[in-house]
Structures are given as C-alpha cells and as structure tokens.
Amino acid sequence: MSHTAVLFGKEFREKYFTRLDENVVPVNHGSYGLTPTPIHEKFLEAIDRDNSFTDRYMRFELTRDYIELLKALASFVNTDYRNLALVDNATTAVNTVLRSYPFLKGDKIVVISTGYESCVNVVKFLHKRQGIEIVPIDIQYPIDDDDIIAKYRDTFQKHRPKMALFDTVTSLPGVRFPFERLLHLCREFQVLSLVDGAHSVGLIDIDLDSLQPDFYTSNLHKWLYVPRGCAVLYITPKLQSKVHTMPISHSYMDEAQEAQLDEDAIRHRLIDKFDFLGSKTYAQISCIIPAIDFRKSIGGEKAIHDYCYNLCRKVAEMVTQDIWPGTKVLENSTQTLVTSMVNIEVPIAKFAADVGGKNLDITNAKEVRRCIDAIQYKMATEDKIYLQLFVHGHFYCRFSCQIYNHLDEYAVSCKLLEKAFHHYFKTQSLRPLQ
Amino acid sequence: MSHTAVLFGKEFREKYFTRLDENVVPVNHGSYGLTPTPIHEKFLEAIDRDNSFTDRYMRFELTRDYIELLKALASFVNTDYRNLALVDNATTAVNTVLRSYPFLKGDKIVVISTGYESCVNVVKFLHKRQGIEIVPIDIQYPIDDDDIIAKYRDTFQKHRPKMALFDTVTSLPGVRFPFERLLHLCREFQVLSLVDGAHSVGLIDIDLDSLQPDFYTSNLHKWLYVPRGCAVLYITPKLQSKVHTMPISHSYMDEAQEAQLDEDAIRHRLIDKFDFLGSKTYAQISCIIPAIDFRKSIGGEKAIHDYCYNLCRKVAEMVTQDIWPGTKVLENSTQTLVTSMVNIEVPIAKFAADVGGKNLDITNAKEVRRCIDAIQYKMATEDKIYLQLFVHGHFYCRFSCQIYNHLDEYAVSCKLLEKAFHHYFKTQSLRPLQ
C-alpha cells in the first residue's frame, strides 16, 4: 500500500483532513491531534447509534464493542487485551494509577523537571494528602541518554524510591526520553514504573510485552488520529487489583473481594472494572479500529513515521540554515531527541534588535509567560496559527510534523512568528484575551 | 409561551426528538436522558468549531464560553456562578469531592441503603484507603419523610459524622428524598452535606442559595436535555479550596498556595481550577444555554414538570387499576415520592401462574439479577424497549415520563413486559448477551 505514501502533504490534507479551517497553518499536531475525516465520520455514526436507542447501546453493545476494539489495540501495541483499559486521556490515566495505588506514607516517587505539569501535580497532591515524598530529577537539554540514565541510577541508589514517573516523549521540550532503558533500570532496582506516554502510540513504536512497564499510558487522540478524549492505560497483571477506576464506579471491589473471584474473572477484571465509567459519550472509542485501519490503508506505521521524521529533519535544516541562520535544533550527541516534533531556537534577541526593542529576559518566568501569551493570542486570532513556544535555556519553538504537512508551512510559520515578535518588541503592550 | 405545552406527547416527539429510533418505546428517560434535535445540532456545531482550529478553541475560546454558560446556569439554579464547576456526570462530581477532601482517619460518612451504588462505592474505597468509617442508614419504602428525618437525627446524635451523602431523587427506587429538610438537619448538627442530585436540575426546582448545601451535584444530561456527559458541581465558597479536580491538572495548587492569592483570584479559583481538565471533547457544555432556552421556548419549567408529573399519575392510575389491577404504586402517606418517575409493582406471581411456571424468589439476589438481565436483554433486542426493573420489598418497574411520552406507551410497555415474563417463566433458560 506504500504507493499512497507519496501523497502525504498538501494534497493529502485536502483529501483527508477536510474539517480543518483551510486558512489554518496546522504545525502543532502534538497538542491536540487532528482526526482524518473518514475517522470522524465513524465518530458521528457511533453517536447516532447511541442516540437511536441509548439503553440498548449502553447496556448491551458497549462492552461487546469495548472488548473487540481492545483486542485490535492490544495487537497494535503487542500485549494481552486484558492488560488494557480505556480512559479520557493520559493525564486521567496517570491520575487513575496514582490516586488509587495503595501507597504508604513516606513512599518516594521520582519525577522529572521536564515532566508534564498535570502529572507532576498529582504527585504534589499525594505529597500533601498522603505524605508521599517527591524525588525530583533535573533534566537540562541537550543531554545525552547515558547521562539521564546515570542520574536515575544515582537517584535510585540513594533514595530507593517506590515508583518513577517518566515520559516516552516529553511535551515541552518535545523530545524523546530514554524510557526503554529506564524501564530496565526500574526492574533492576525494583522501582515501579509509571510511563506517561501521552506522546507515543502512533508516534513511536510501542511493544508493551517487550517493554514490560508496570503502568503505561498513551493518548490515542494525538498521534493515532482518534477523536479526543481517548487514551489507553496498561497495567501489568500482578498490579491490576491495586488500581481502581476514576471515578470509582459500579464495578468497584476492594482487593480482598477481587481475590475471591475465580481465575478467569480475575484475569478479566480490568475490563469489567473499566468498560463503563459513568454516563458520558463513548463514541470516540469506536474510532480506534477505524484509525488503525486508516493508517494501514495509507501505508502503515513505518511510512507515516518516516514521512513525519524526515519532514522534521528538513524543517530543522531549512530553519537553522536559511530562515534563522545561526540558531540550533535541540538535539544531543547521539541524535535521539527528535521524533515527529522538533524544537528550534527562536532568535528573539535579533528580533528585538531589528525593531530597536528591549529583549526578553528569559530568566523572568512572569515576563516570559506574558510574552508567549501575547504572541500566541495575536497569531491565533490574526494569523490562524498556534505555535508552542517555551524557554529551556534558550527560547524555543516546538514544531510538529504530520502526514498533512509540507515544508513550506514551516517557512510561513517562522515568518509569521518573526512578524509577531517584531510587533511585540515594538509595543510590548499586547495582552491576551485571558 | 404555554400554548406549545398542549403539544407535548407524540407529535412533540416527532418534531423535536427525531434522533430516536422511531420503533423504540422510550419510557426510561431517567437512565441516560434524551437530547432534542435542535440542541444536538448545537453539539455538532461545537464539535465543528473545535475541529476547525482546535488550538484557538481550547486556548482562547473555551474559558470564555465556560464562564458565559456558568452564568446562565447559575441564574437557572440561583447561585453565584463562581460556586459552580462542570464535570462529566454526578458520579464524577461525588468522586471529585470525596477523593480530594482532606478527611482524617476515623471521620464518619453517612450513606443510605438506596444510594447510587457508584457513589456509595467511593465511600467504601475511602474506608479501605483512608480509614473513613461508613455509617449506613437503611431505608425501606414506603416510608414517610418524617421517619427518614428521624432516622437521620438519631444517627447524627449517635455518631456525630463528618459528612452525609444523600440524594435529591434516588435512582432505584426512583423516588424523591427529603433533601431540603436533611440540609437543615445537617446544618443543625454541623455535618457536611454532599447532595447527589443526579436526578434534579430539570426534574425538580433547585434553588441553591436557599438550599445551602455544602456540596451538590446534578447531571444536566438527564432532565435538562444536554448531551452526555455533563453535570454541575456546586461547592459552598468556604470549602472550595479543599476540593481538587479529578484528574488533578495544570491548575492544581495546594490550599496554602491558594490562600496566598488575592481576594478576587480566590473567589474565581473554582473556575480557574475546573475550566480545563485535560484533552477531551467539551462540545456538550456548549449545549447548556441552548437547553435552557429550548425549555423556555416550549413553555418553561413548570409546564414541563406539570406534564411529566401528571403523566406519571395517569400511568400509575391506568396500570394499577386497568392493566395490573391489585398492584400498587410506590408512594408514602404524604405523597412525596413520585416525580417524573414512578415505581409500580409488577405482578410476577400472577405472570408465573399464568404459564404454570415457578415464581421468582425475590429474596435471592442472584436469581433476581439473572431474571432481570434476561428480561431486559430480550425486550431491548426484540421489542426495542428497556425497562428499569428492581426488587425493593416487591418487584417493581420504574417508569419515566417525559414531554415526548404519551399514555398509550405505558400500556404497551406493560403488555410487552408481561409477554417477556411469560416467556421467562415458561423457559427460565434465557441468558443475556453478557
């Protein structure tokens, strides 16, 4: 089917991503994803099926559908379907584990400075409510994977933590984290692993039975093209009884009650717990099989990943050489950081000098927040583009590359960002709507 | 606008509830609700607006919309909009409060035997995880409100609980609970009140500033006609800092951090905490104002409530006098139980005798579950009808009455149920799909 792969880019978008406003420059797939129209149509069909006779759908069809699609998804990520559950998003999955696992006061959880704010906040909440101790690891890029692993080894030796929460690919910066090697290290030190793979399924290869995490989640609405909100939660069999749904629902049993069940029921318990979590729409989960099928039909995972990764590398080359010469891509010595997202330095000092403005003090978090808010608001409302901007040692823009993108869009993006910065440095009086 | 009220019933359904399979007999509104087509169209418009440029929608439009619709909703339930938050459903709201409130080990929570299973399960979870003590109150209908209040008074005096969790209208049986009087009693005993109003907004009048609960939730997708899942959570100002979102998200601050904020920020904090809880669809919340407006346009709350309540009373009279003579409606001496749901005894002994079958032992929970599952599955798949059946001293069917229902449907429902029971008692071998 690889014949279609050549079509990725502009024409592909016009054919398959028709729901997007055609004037939008969509170079930020990483934040919310984007669903191809044929998959969205399955979403609408599921809503119609539900609404035509909701009692029957909820009571007799949902679980049957749920098991069927879990099997397809399990095959996609290589594990037994009875190790999987579906939840709204990766943040919910991380909360589900952390807010029900029976920690003891004083248990230590390792988090990283570049971790997703919402997920790190759950650990802060546990610190306040249950006396969990937070062990932070500071990550400053560019850093080599070996150095990250060394930091973890030191930390594990020193603190003997109960659990480590880390990413597959962090959000800001949007870089690959050496999660495969860390999973080995966790097993070596008997540290429970909780992998925030918000950016993983559809972005990078995931083979759960090889990886052997204790807990793992991935959004399916980002890189797999399922409508929001849809994420998978994997729990290794021996820990499944220790995690309860969020919300706690009809299916709740405590660990002692679960242990009374017969072997088959225990093995099926994760499904029985998570298949219905209260009245809401479940239409998006009906899009998992269509999404997997769509991806196969357009060339498969390798073709998709290759196009996106190669486009990222081309964007990086174009921007750092031709558009903003002298800037750098965020990358380490072994070139492991770039996926379908690439972080490129923004030459804000030059932009300020261009218009005789005062440069931004990137050590002043409040000033940085104000600047980014203003730029993002202006660009979103006037230019129909949204760029992820952040400071990590330098001022960066994170670009996402997808099968509907083409190189010219990133040149346009840079020019619009430059224009917005010129305006900002000239006025420094813009305020966002909120 | 009351001129349109006369149209409630069959023609009204054909005009406004076009998404329902026309062969379905929809007499179970109480379980999942049903959204009129004009409101559903607003739901689809919101999805389109989101998908056309998601970054802009999520970052710059969602909070603005959220505040606007909270104000409309606050006016509808009479409180300050800054006391409200939106979540998926009442179960999630109850979980949100219980799973973040800073209970101390040994704190007692009062629950009722007729409470919603998912919500009572949260308290069981807290018992296991945090050492909360559960204080159950047994409710056997028919019981008068005075007797319920007396049970609570005794319990409060004896146990001095921290909190009481109770319903506005319970689910099974579907009966009104004396929550207004209980709220007075909670204040008298300084017991925190957590009101599970899953069935309330749109079903009965709710005036929060008069009621003065500590915590209250109502689904908006049941009786207000908003698409699933949408519920409101009310928190009295002085307790807002003690409740955190579920999932814990970007907005998290602990109580000490919140206390550092200025007065306006503290007053606005519930909105800042709950306006974005992770990537998922928020399209249903865009239907709150359209739902309120739709209800006004068809005659308003009183016209809606009157039609539904009066239809319930007619159904009760018809069934207990003409269809199943000798059966009783579940009602107490002061006639406070019936709302837009009515619970009517099902003469299963007669049905068994009709076909020479062995009657169901209603004290055998497993046998009852098997029977109800079989009947519900057969009726849903063959007759396109779903009836809520349950045992509470006797065997009951809960009927819901809505503006799209008319009396004949309940006669049809009874006949179909009778047919299903005859078949069940003849064979007793049916098994549901799951």
Side-chain angles (χ1 to χ4, degrees), chain A residues 58-59 228 376 434, chain B residues 58-59 100 228 376 434:
Chain A
M58 284 290 185
R59 183 71 204 287
R228 274 173 287 132
Q376 286 174 330
Q434 39 156 335
Chain B
M58 285 290 185
R59 183 70 204 286
S100 66
R228 272 173 289 132
Q376 286 175 330
Q434 35 155 340

Side-chain angles (χ1 to χ4, degrees), chain A residues 216-230:
Chain A
Y216 160 89
T217 180
S218 175
N219 285 319
L220 304 178
H221 59 237
K222 276 189 203 285
W223 300 97
L224 197 71
Y225 308 148
V226 173
R228 274 173 287 132
C230 190

